[in-house]
Each structure stands twice: as C-alpha cells, then as structure tokens.
C-alpha cells in the first residue's frame, strides 16, 4: 500500500467525506454572506482537526521508549498551540501581535519536533550536506518571505515585531521540512508516508499562519489550518514501519531529492521578477542572495567531492570483489578436487557430464574417461535401474534431494559401498543437470556389521544370543499362517557343571565352543541355533512340519553329543536334556514358547531315560501350582504358620517316654495341616529350609526346656530335630549355641537328626561341623539308617551317637520277610559294637516291640506308643504317665 493511499473501508470513506465537507463549509458560508455561521463552522472544523491530531499523536507516542517520546510531545504542544489559539480567536486572527502569538509558539515547536524525529537507519547524505540543504532552503525562504511580506510593511510596535518574527518562524519550519525530507531517502525508523504527513502538516500550518498575518480572508485561512492539522493527524496515524513496493520507493527518493529545490524556485522567481521589473531589492534580500549563492557553490563542491569519494570507493570495492571471486573460485576448485566425496553431474539419462578428480582417489577411475559414459555402467543391473528411476523422479521434483545406497565397482576389482545424494539442478543455467554426491561408506558398513554381530551373537560360540533368538522366534510366529509351524528346542547340558568345576572355566569355555559347532551341524538349513547363557542352548525350527522336524533335530542333537569330546588329550562325556515346545494354538508369544520349552526340558532332566520331552499343558499347570505353593510357603514362614508336632520316643523295656522327635507341620489356611513330605522338598529347592530349620531348632529347645522336669533321675529329657543338607553350613553351630543359651536347655538334651546322604556330601566339612557341635554336648543321630549307601569306614569317621532304624525294616519284623527283620537285628548289633544307641522307627504292634527288645534295641517310636501331637497334648500325656514311671 502506498503511503498516501486512502483506506477502502466504508468507515474511512465516511471520515474522508466528512472532513472534506467541514473544510469546504467555511468558505461556502462566507461566500453566502453568513459570517456568523461561517465563523462557527471554521472554529468547529479547526477544533475537530486539533482534537484528532492530538489524539493520534498521543497514541503514536505511547509505545515509544521514554527517550524517544520528546518529538511527539513537542508535536502535541505545537498542535494545541496552533489549533487552540485559532479556535479561541476565530475571526480575530490577523496581523496583530496577539493574533500571531499561537503561530509564534507553534512554529519553533514544530521545527524542533521535526528535527528530533528518528532518522532513517541508512542515510547516504552526510550531516554537512544536510546542513547545506537546510541553509539553502532557509536563505531561499528568507528572500521570498522578506520581499513579499516584510519589506513594504509599515506596521510599528508590537505588530511590527509580530510581522518580523512570523517569517523567521515560517522559514525555520520550512527549512526543517526540507532537511528532514532530504534525509529520508532510505527506509528506517519512520515510514516515509508518516514523515511526509507530518512535514506536510507543518508546512500547511506555516502557510496558514502567514496567510492569517497578512490579512487573507478568514474563510480561506481556517481550511488551510485545518488541513495542516489533519495532515499531522495522518502522519501520526500511518504505521511507523512498512514494506514499500519498488515503485513507491523510487518515487519517494525522487521527492526527497527534489524537495530542497522548492524554496530555490520561489527565491529565483522573486529575484527574476525584481530584475525584470527593475525593482530594487532590500539590503536583507541582497545579503541572503549572496549567502544563498555561497551555499549553492559549497553544496556543488561538496557534491563533487562526495561523488569522487563514492567513485573511488566503488573502484576499490570492484577490485576487492574481483579478487574475492577469484580467491573463492580457487578455493572452491581446491575443495572439489580434495573432497572426500565424489561429485558427479549427470543428465536425466545418467550420462556423466562432469566428474570430480576425487573419483580417482576413492574409486580408482579416471574422471576424463567417465565423462560421456553412463554412471549405471559401474553398478549392478538392479541398482542401476533403481538409480535411473531416482534420477527421473528428482528431475520431475527439483528441490527434493533423494538419498540412495548401492555399491559401485572399484577399479581394483571390488565393490565399494556408497551413499549417494541426488540433487536436481536442471533449471540452474550454470549446471543444467543432476548432481550426485557419493560417499564411501564401506568402513561404516563394516562397523555396523561388526556391531550387529556383537549385539546379536554369542561371543563364546559364535551362535545367536538370547536377544536375537527371541527376535527370530517373534518373526517366525508373525509369519506363520497356521498352528504347529513354529517349534523351539531348549537344551541343557548334563554333566557340564562337573567339568567346569573340576577342570576350570577355560576348559568349560572350550567345551561350550565345541558343543556349539556340533549343534550347528545337527540342524537343517534355515534353523536357528542360539546360546541362551551358561550351558543352555535353544534351536528354532519352522515350517509346516515343525513338530516332526523338531523331533528329528532332537535325535540328531542327542546322537551328536553322545560322542565324547576330546580336550587336552582327555575325553569328556556330555549329554543334553531337551524340551520341545510347538505353537499348538498359533497365538503363543516368543516368551511363552521359550518358557514352555524350558519346562519340558526340566521334565526331561528329571526323566533321564527320555532323550527329549514335548511340552504339554499339564506342565504349565504344575508349574503354576508349584509357584503358588512356593508363594504360600514363603508367607507361611513369614507369618508363623508352621508348627511343630512331637512324637514320643520310649524306652522299650519300661515303656517310659524319654524324649520326643520334633516334626514340622504347615497349618495351611485352605488345606489344613500339611505333612512335611509335601513341602520340605519345595523348601529345600527354594532355600526356605534354612529359615525353617533355624526356627525349628529354637522352638524345639524352648519346649525341651519345659519338659526337662520329666527327665529320669540324673538324666535329661531328649528332644530331636531334623537337619537338612542346606543347614550344614558354618552358621549351624552358632544357631545351635544361641538356641541353647536362649532357652537354657542342656546341650546333651538336644539331638540333631540327619540322613546318610546328608552325611556323605562334603564329608570333611560335615565332620568338622559335627565335632564343633559335639563340644556343646549335642547328640547326632543318623536317621533312616540302612537305606543309604554308607559303609562302616565312613560311619566310624563321623561323631555319631544314635542310629535310627528305618521303618521299612521294622515293619517286616515277625512277618514272612525274614531278611528285612534280620537286617534290623544286624543294625542293632552294629550299634552295640560301635557303642551307639539304637532307636527303631515305625513300631505299630506289641509283637514288633517285644522282638526289638529281645534283639537289644533300647528305644523306639511309632503309632503303638503315640502319634505326633502338639506340645500341649504331649504335656498332658507326660503328666499322666510320669507318676507310674517314677514308681516303676
């Protein structure tokens, strides 16, 4: 939008129409002879224009920073002075000193305000040139004003002073207008339209004041004054910033250049008229004319000097630019020649039109021999067709770079992986082709392959690792179209732990590497073999016959691992327990298949007679039941849901209760009282048996301390508690000592029972632990003696005090199976020879008791005497039989 273009809105048209009507109303009414109405109309017009100008000037000054508000406030003051004084005096505005007061105050304010407006950011004219322009305008305006309005005036006194001051004020205003417009050649802090409006308003106000001073008809003065005020309002209303068209900008520059000539034209007309009419000029006019001539000569000299300086600066700039372009061209050529990329310019068909020399260093080809050939000749046919399609697409859509990766043939006879970016410059007159920027990414590809290999392969065996195997299982499940098309084999090596512990991890790692090679040769092409960790391996089998293929692979693996492995001249035998899981439903996940195969593998490990086991849903149900039982058992241990029941141990000869055996029970919230046979194995597998055993020892000692009053004269009431293999650690003696000290029970009253298998594991360590406990007086009993694999030589090494005859031997005493009964007698005689006490378990009949007593067995326990019972029930039994026992 140009700076004087009126708004096209209906509201703006109404305002312009109304303003024009008000401006024309005064002169029209004067012509009609209605002087009073004309005076009122002119006063209203000037008042409205003043109010509008003040309002817009204040609105324009408000967003300015405080240090830049002064020119606008001066404009507000000048507008109020000029407009309010004219409204106040009305028809009395004239050549008197009182009538000149408003204009004499407003004029200097207008001049100072115009000089204080923000200068353009870019201004080619210097302050000296601007000052000369201002001086020229001032002198020219002074000549015209003096000769036309002052020289012939005959006023005296204050009126003469007003007439003398008025031209000087007008000259100052006009000079400011000329200087400001002359400097506004470039866009800057103010748009030229706003600046022109303010300057036009100031000029009209000066013209109106001059006209009023010299008796021009009031009907014509007031419209000029109102027009000046409206011009000021327009300058305040126009935006301070804006984007100008090229045509508007050029027109504005012409106006800015020609404005200083306007006062010269007026002065020249006055001087020429005086010369033609042979009118003598006043001394003031002659002095101003001489000074004007000097200013014009000075301006011409300064303009020539500035032109010469500009010419020299332009020459220097051209030389510098030429040198810079030459340097940049050399620099660009050096960059292109030594670039690490290969830059090729081809046409749409792929014919090379330019090739950088870097192709020799990177691909070994001569760039001159490549020009004129098709770039696809260095590529595989499929990649060449892909490049041709990309070139055609890039030519159709310039400005959209396309990146491709493909190998290019190297001169040394190998393929070089490249990454090529295609940029279409077919519309560039200097290029007119497609630019291919190719980069050698062979090392990056190799590094990516190495990182991928490290991320998805097992470093020890070179097989796939767990993450990659799981990903492949997921892909196989996603690509399968029916159930039973994906099978997973889970293998765990049998005997590997013994080899690793006995011969070291180095041998174990070598053995795993050999196992991995045999597994890789045992599968079909396309099957995936992975090492999941430790000595666990997995195999992925896919296809419509996945289940039959998995069985075939499992047999191959079994036969492959059956041959001994030779390491360091020694043969090592290994086996494998294999579990197979098949995607029966078709909606299984990779984790579910691996878990199912793992469960089947554990079932195969438990059944050593089977080479592999296929997963069945019952296995998962059993696992869930086991997990639930483990969770319940942990809560039972934590919440104190375990209790001890006690079975009396009696002296077979007298029938007197001499001790008890503590048997743990689980008070389950749903199943009731659970015997140890149903949860002790689970407790040993989960490690909870250590916590249970520690609690049982302390609880048994606490009850045993109460029952010492039932001991025979000079003896102790014995309490026995079972100890598992997991409890045989260095912490056991400390637990026993703490329990004895806390409860006060004598050490000889406590018996620790353990099976033969427990004693045979870690023999030397167990012997040391038992001897440490023997120093506290604690007794040691071998439970279920005769069912294990101990020998007299081992038995003699352990500090054992009691042999407990297993119930399987006692049950056959007095029956047809005489061999079992004779074994019970043999154990009794063995105990006598080794000076050990013997306790027969599982006595259910009086006949069995009598035979065992005749054999020499001292003590016994079983349903014949009492079942296991809680501590309070045992208290009642002991209280009832104690008097008779003492009497006997």
């Amino acid at each position: 939008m140009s700076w004087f273009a009126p708004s096209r809105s209906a509201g703006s048209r109404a305002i312009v129409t109304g303003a024009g009507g008000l401006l024309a109303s005064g002169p029209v009414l004067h012509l009609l002879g209605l002087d009073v109405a004309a005076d009122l109309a002119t006063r209203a017009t000037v008042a409205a224009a003043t109010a509008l100008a003040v309002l817009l000037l204040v609105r324009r000054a408000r967003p300015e920073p405080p240090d830049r508000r002064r020119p606008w406030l001066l404009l507000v003051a000048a507008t109020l002075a000029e407009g309010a004084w004219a409204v106040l005096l009305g028809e009395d505005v004239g050549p008197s000193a009182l009538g000149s007061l408003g204009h004499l105050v407003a004029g200097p304010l207008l001049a100072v305000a115009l000089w204080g407006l923000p200068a353009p950011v870019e201004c080619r004219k210097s302050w000296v040139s601007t000052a000369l322009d201002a001086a020229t305008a001032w002198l020219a305006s002074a000549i015209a004003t003096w000769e036309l309005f002052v020289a012939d005036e005959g006023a005296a006194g204050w009126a003469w002073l007003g007439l003398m001051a008025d031209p000087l004020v007008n000259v100052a205003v006009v000079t400011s207008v000329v200087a400001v417009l002359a400097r506004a050649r470039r866009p800057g802090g103010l748009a030229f339209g706003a600046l022109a409006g303010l300057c036009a308003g100031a000029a009209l106000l000066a013209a109106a004041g001059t006209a009023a001073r010299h008796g021009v008809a009031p009907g014509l003065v007031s419209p000029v004054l109102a027009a000046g005020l409206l011009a000021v309002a327009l300058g305040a209303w126009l935006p301070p910033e804006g984007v100008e068209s090229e045509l508007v900008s050029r027109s504005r520059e012409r106006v800015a250049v020609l404005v200083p000539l306007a006062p010269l034209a007026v002065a020249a007309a006055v001087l020429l008229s005086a010369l033609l009419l042979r009118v003598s000029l006043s001394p003031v006019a002659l002095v101003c004319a001489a000074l004007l001539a000097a200013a014009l000569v000075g301006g011409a000299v300064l303009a020539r000097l500035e032109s010469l300086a500009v010419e020299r600066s332009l020459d220097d700039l051209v030389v510098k630019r030429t040198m810079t372009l030459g340097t940049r061209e050399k620099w660009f050529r050096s960059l292109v020649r030594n670039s690490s990329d290969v830059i090729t310019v081809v046409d749409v068909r792929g014919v090379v039109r330019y090739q950088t020399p870097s192709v020799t260093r990177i691909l070994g080809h001569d760039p001159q021999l490549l020009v004129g050939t098709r770039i696809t000749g260095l590529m595989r046919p499929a990649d060449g067709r892909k490049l041709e399609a990309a070139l055609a697409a890039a030519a159709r859509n310039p400005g959209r770079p396309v990146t491709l990766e493909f190998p290019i043939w190297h001169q040394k006879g190998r393929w070089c992986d490249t990454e090529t970016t295609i940029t279409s410059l077919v519309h560039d007159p200097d290029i007119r082709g497609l630019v291919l920027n190719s980069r050698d990414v062979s090392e990056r590809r190799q590094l990516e392959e190495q990182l991928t290999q490290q991320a998805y392969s097992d470093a020890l065996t070179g097989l796939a690792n767990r993450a990659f195997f799981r990903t492949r299982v997921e892909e196989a499940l996603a690509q399968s179209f029916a159930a039973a098309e994906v099978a997973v084999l889970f293998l765990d090596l049998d005997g590997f732990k013994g080899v690793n512990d006995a011969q070291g991890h180095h041998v174990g790692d070598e053995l795993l590497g050999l196992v991995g090679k045999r597994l890789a040769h045992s599968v079909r092409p396309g099957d995936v073999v992975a090492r999941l960790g430790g000595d666990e391996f997995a195999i992925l089998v896919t296809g419509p016959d996945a289940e039959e293929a998995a069985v075939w692979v499992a047999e191959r693996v079994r036969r492959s691992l059956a041959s001994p492995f030779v390491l360091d001249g020694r043969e090592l035998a290994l086996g494998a327990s294999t579990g197979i899981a098949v995607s029966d439903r078709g909606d299984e996940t990779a984790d579910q298949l691996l878990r199912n195969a793992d469960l089947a593998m554990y079932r195969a490990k438990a059944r050593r007679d089977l080479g592999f086991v296929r997963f069945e849903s019952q296995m998962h149900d059993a696992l869930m039941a086991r997990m639930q039982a483990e969770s319940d058992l942990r809560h039972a241990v934590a919440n104190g849901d375990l209790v001890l029941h006690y079975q009396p141990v009696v002296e077979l000869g007298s029938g007197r209760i001499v001790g008890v055996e503590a048997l743990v029970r689980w008070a389950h919230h749903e199943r009731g009282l659970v015997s140890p046979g149903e949860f002790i194995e689970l407790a040993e597998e989960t490690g909870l048996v250590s916590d249970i055993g520690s609690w049982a020892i302390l609880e048994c000692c606490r009850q045993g301390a109460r029952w010492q009053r039932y001991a025979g004269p000079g003896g102790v009431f014995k309490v026995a508690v079972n100890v598992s293999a997991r409890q045989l650690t260095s912490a056991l003696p400390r637990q026993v000592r703490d329990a004895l000290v806390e409860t006060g029970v004598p050490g000889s009253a406590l018996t620790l029972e353990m099976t033969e298998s427990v004693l045979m594991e870690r023999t030397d360590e167990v012997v040391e632990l038992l001897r440490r406990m023997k120093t506290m007086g604690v007794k040691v009993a071998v439970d279920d003696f005769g069912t294990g694999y101990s020998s007299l030589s081992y038995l003699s090494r352990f500090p054992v005090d009691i042999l407990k005859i297993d119930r399987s031997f006692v049950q056959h005493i007095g029956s047809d199976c005489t061999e079992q009964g004779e074994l019970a007698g043999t154990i009794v005689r063995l105990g006598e020879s080794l000076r050990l006490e013997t306790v027969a378990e599982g006595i259910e009949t009086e006949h069995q008791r009598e035979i065992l007593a005749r054999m020499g067995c001292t003590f016994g326990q079983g349903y014949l005497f009492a079942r296991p019972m809680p501590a309070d029930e045992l208290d009642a039994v002991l209280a009832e039989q104690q008097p008779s026992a003492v009497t006997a």
Side-chain angles (χ1 to χ4, degrees):
M1 183 181 72
S2 66
W3 19 277
F4 285 129
S7 172
R8 296 179 181 273
S9 64
S12 297
R13 288 197 298 270
I15 292 174
V16 172
T17 304
L22 287 174
L23 292 175
S25 62
V28 171
L29 292 174
H30 271 287
L31 292 176
L32 295 177
L34 302 175
D35 294 338
V36 176
D39 182 56
L40 292 177
T42 55
R43 290 183 186 230
T45 302
V46 173
T50 302
L52 179 62
V54 169
L55 178 64
L56 292 178
L57 286 171
V58 172
R59 177 174 172 270
R60 176 64 182 81
R62 184 174 299 173
E64 294 288 340
D67 58 338
R68 297 180 63 179
R69 291 178 183 172
R70 183 177 299 174
W72 301 103
L73 298 179
L74 291 175
L75 285 173
V76 171
T79 303
L80 284 173
E82 190 76 59
W85 197 254
V87 172
L88 180 64
L89 296 182
E91 295 291 345
D92 295 332
V93 175
S96 65
L98 182 63
S100 304
L101 182 60
H103 182 63
L104 294 179
V105 172
L109 294 177
L110 284 172
V112 175
L114 290 175
W115 278 97
L117 288 175
V121 176
E122 298 181 14
C123 183
R124 291 181 178 178
K125 296 197 68 172
S126 64
W127 282 103
V128 178
S129 298
T130 304
L132 286 174
D133 287 342
T136 302
W138 190 90
L139 292 170
S141 300
I143 292 173
T145 302
W146 188 268
E147 288 298 319
L148 294 177
F149 300 107
V150 178
D152 297 332
E153 292 290 340
W158 291 105
W160 184 86
L161 291 177
L163 291 174
M164 292 296 294
D166 182 69
L168 297 177
V169 169
N170 292 339
V171 168
V173 172
V174 172
T175 303
S176 301
V177 169
V178 170
V180 171
L181 291 179
R183 294 181 65 224
R185 295 187 182 181
R186 297 292 174 190
L190 286 173
F192 187 74
L195 191 61
L198 296 175
C199 292
L204 288 173
L205 292 177
T210 300
R213 299 297 84 76
H214 293 276
V216 179
L220 297 178
V221 173
S222 295
V224 175
L225 180 62
L229 294 172
L230 290 176
V232 172
L234 176 65
W237 175 70
L238 288 176
E241 304 290 346
V243 179
E244 298 177 337
S245 65
E246 184 67 20
L247 179 61
V248 172
S249 179
R250 291 180 179 178
S251 302
R252 179 172 58 76
E253 288 185 349
R254 294 191 186 100
V255 172
V257 171
L258 296 177
V259 160
L261 300 179
L264 288 176
V266 177
V270 171
L271 295 175
L272 183 62
S273 299
L275 180 62
L276 293 176
L277 299 176
R278 299 181 181 274
V279 177
S280 60
L281 297 174
S282 64
V284 175
L286 292 176
V287 172
C288 290
L291 294 176
L292 177 62
L296 290 174
V297 172
V301 172
L302 182 63
R304 292 183 66 85
L305 292 177
E306 289 182 348
S307 176
L308 180 61
V310 170
E311 183 179 354
R312 287 183 177 179
S313 64
L314 288 176
D315 291 340
D316 294 340
L317 183 61
V318 170
V319 172
K320 291 180 180 180
R321 291 283 179 90
T322 303
M323 295 178 63
T324 301
L325 290 175
T327 303
R328 288 186 177 180
E329 183 178 359
K330 294 180 181 179
W331 179 58
F332 176 74
R333 288 182 179 178
S334 178
L335 285 178
V336 170
R337 291 178 178 274
N338 298 281
S339 173
S340 60
D341 295 350
V342 177
I343 301 175
T344 309
V345 180
V346 300
D347 60 15
V348 180
R349 298 175 301 162
V351 177
V352 178
R353 297 176 54 190
Y354 172 77
Q355 180 65 68
T356 56
S358 57
V359 71
T360 303
R361 184 180 68 258
I362 298 174
L363 296 174
H365 297 285
D366 187 345
Q368 297 180 356
L369 296 179
L370 291 179
V371 175
T373 64
R374 296 176 69 91
I375 188 65
T376 55
L378 301 177
M379 303 164 56
R380 295 190 177 100
D383 294 329
R385 291 190 294 270
K386 186 188 302 183
L387 177 62
E388 290 175 350
L391 291 175
R396 291 192 301 268
N397 300 286
R400 294 183 180 179
V402 179
T403 301
L404 299 175
E405 291 188 6
F406 47 77
I408 296 180
W409 184 251
H410 196 282
Q411 183 65 25
K412 293 183 179 180
R414 58 182 176 85
W415 291 103
C416 182
D417 293 324
T418 64
E419 180 184 76
T420 300
T421 301
I422 305 172
T423 305
S424 176
L425 297 178
V426 293
H427 300 296
D428 189 331
D430 297 326
I431 305 297
R432 297 189 182 278
L434 296 106
V435 180
L436 276 62
N437 195 319
S438 302
R439 177 175 302 172
D440 183 6
V441 294
S442 300
E443 294 184 359
R444 190 185 75 184
R445 284 286 185 84
Q446 293 176 1
L447 180 59
E448 290 176 352
E449 292 177 358
Q450 291 176 1
L451 293 177
T452 303
Q453 182 73 11
Q454 294 175 4
Y456 292 107
S457 66
D458 177 60
L460 184 61
T461 61
L463 302 175
N465 60 11
R466 179 184 289 272
F468 182 72
F469 185 80
R470 184 179 179 278
T471 302
R472 291 299 302 273
V473 174
E474 289 180 343
E475 293 175 355
L477 290 172
Q479 296 172 3
S480 61
F481 296 97
E485 289 191 357
V486 180
V488 172
L489 286 75
F490 199 105
L491 291 82
D492 185 83
L493 301 181
D494 298 331
F496 174 77
K497 185 177 183 303
V499 174
N500 206 35
D501 294 341
Q503 303 191 30
H505 293 286
H506 175 69
V507 175
D509 291 345
E510 289 189 31
L511 184 57
L512 289 175
L514 295 177
V515 170
K517 291 181 180 179
R518 291 195 184 183
L519 293 179
H521 288 88
S522 301
V523 299
R524 309 173 307 165
D527 295 340
V528 181
V529 183
R531 176 174 175 251
L532 304 183
D535 60 342
E536 295 180 344
F537 295 83
I539 301 174
L540 173 64
V541 178
T542 58
D545 57 343
E547 184 171 3
E548 292 79 5
V551 173
W552 180 84
V553 170
E555 289 290 345
R556 289 260 301 178
V557 168
R558 184 184 63 80
R559 290 194 298 268
S560 177
L561 297 181
S563 302
F565 295 87
V566 180
L567 287 175
D568 295 335
R570 290 174 294 181
E571 289 188 353
L572 301 176
L574 284 180
S577 299
T578 305
I580 300 176
V582 182
S583 57
D584 295 320
R585 302 189 309 273
D587 59 350
E588 291 90 349
T589 64
D591 292 332
Q592 288 175 340
L593 274 183
L594 283 169
R595 180 204 62 195
N596 295 344
D598 191 12
L599 288 175
M601 182 273 295
Y602 276 106
R603 182 63 60 89
K605 189 175 287 290
R607 294 282 305 276
R608 296 184 179 273
D609 56 323
L610 298 177
F612 60 88
V613 171
R614 189 191 187 283
F615 172 79
E616 297 177 355
S617 58
Q618 305 91 284
M619 298 180 185
H620 182 258
D621 297 339
L623 174 64
M624 298 303 295
R626 185 183 182 279
M627 293 177 61
Q628 184 62 45
E630 179 181 345
S631 176
D632 293 345
L633 183 58
R634 291 186 182 277
H635 283 88
V637 174
N639 299 331
D641 292 338
L642 299 179
V643 296
L644 288 180
H645 282 201
Y646 302 90
Q647 187 173 32
V649 177
V650 302
E651 188 177 35
L652 295 182
S654 63
R656 183 172 59 90
I657 300 177
V658 297
V660 293
E661 178 184 2
L663 302 172
V664 67
R665 297 289 188 269
W666 178 6
H668 198 277
H669 60 282
E670 294 180 354
R671 300 167 57 190
L673 210 59
V674 181
S675 63
E678 299 184 38
F679 66 87
I680 285 298
E681 182 178 357
L682 177 62
E684 289 182 347
E685 294 176 359
T686 57
L688 292 173
V689 70
S690 298
D691 295 335
I692 296 174
S694 178
W695 165 81
I697 291 174
L698 180 60
E699 183 66 18
C700 185
C701 291
R702 184 178 291 112
Q703 297 296 338
R706 293 196 308 107
W707 291 330
Q708 290 306 312
R709 64 178 181 270
Y710 299 116
V716 294
F717 188 87
K718 299 178 181 179
V719 288
V721 62
N722 289 279
V723 176
S724 69
R726 284 184 174 268
Q727 291 179 260
L728 291 178
T729 64
S730 58
L732 182 61
R734 184 177 64 255
Q735 294 174 0
V736 172
R737 183 181 64 253
D738 293 344
L740 295 177
V741 172
E742 182 178 346
T743 60
V745 68
S748 57
L750 177 62
T751 301
L752 301 180
E753 297 186 3
M754 54 197 73
T755 62
E756 295 176 78
S757 59
V758 171
L759 293 174
M760 292 300 295
E761 295 180 3
R762 311 190 320 270
T763 303
D764 296 336
E765 183 181 353
V766 171
V767 169
E768 178 61 27
L769 290 175
L770 295 181
R771 286 177 179 172
R772 290 173 59 186
M773 287 183 288
K774 289 290 289 184
T775 60
M776 294 181 278
V778 176
K779 304 295 183 181
V780 177
V782 180
D783 197 12
D784 301 332
F785 186 78
T787 60
Y789 45 84
S790 60
S791 64
L792 292 178
S793 61
Y794 274 99
L795 188 60
S796 61
R797 292 183 56 191
F798 291 104
V800 176
D801 302 290
I802 303 169
L803 297 179
K804 300 194 71 173
I805 305 173
D806 187 69
R807 65 178 66 248
S808 62
F809 302 133
V810 175
Q811 289 176 355
H812 294 92
I813 293 177
S815 64
D816 296 336
C817 186
T818 57
E819 293 181 0
Q820 297 291 338
E822 291 178 358
L823 286 175
T826 302
I827 296 173
V828 172
R829 291 190 294 273
L830 176 61
E832 292 177 350
S833 63
L834 295 177
R835 297 182 181 180
L836 303 176
E837 295 180 0
T838 54
V839 179
E841 295 181 301
I843 301 176
E844 297 181 356
T845 64
E846 184 65 28
H847 182 60
Q848 293 172 349
R849 185 191 69 81
E850 293 176 355
I851 294 176
L852 287 168
R854 288 197 298 270
M855 289 180 180
C857 182
T858 311
F859 304 102
Q861 63 184 97
Y863 289 169
L864 175 63
F865 309 111
R867 292 176 176 270
M869 63 188 74
D872 53 354
E873 294 184 12
L874 183 61
D875 286 336
V877 173
L878 293 175
E880 290 178 0
Q881 74 170 12
Q882 185 64 18
S884 60
V886 173
T887 303

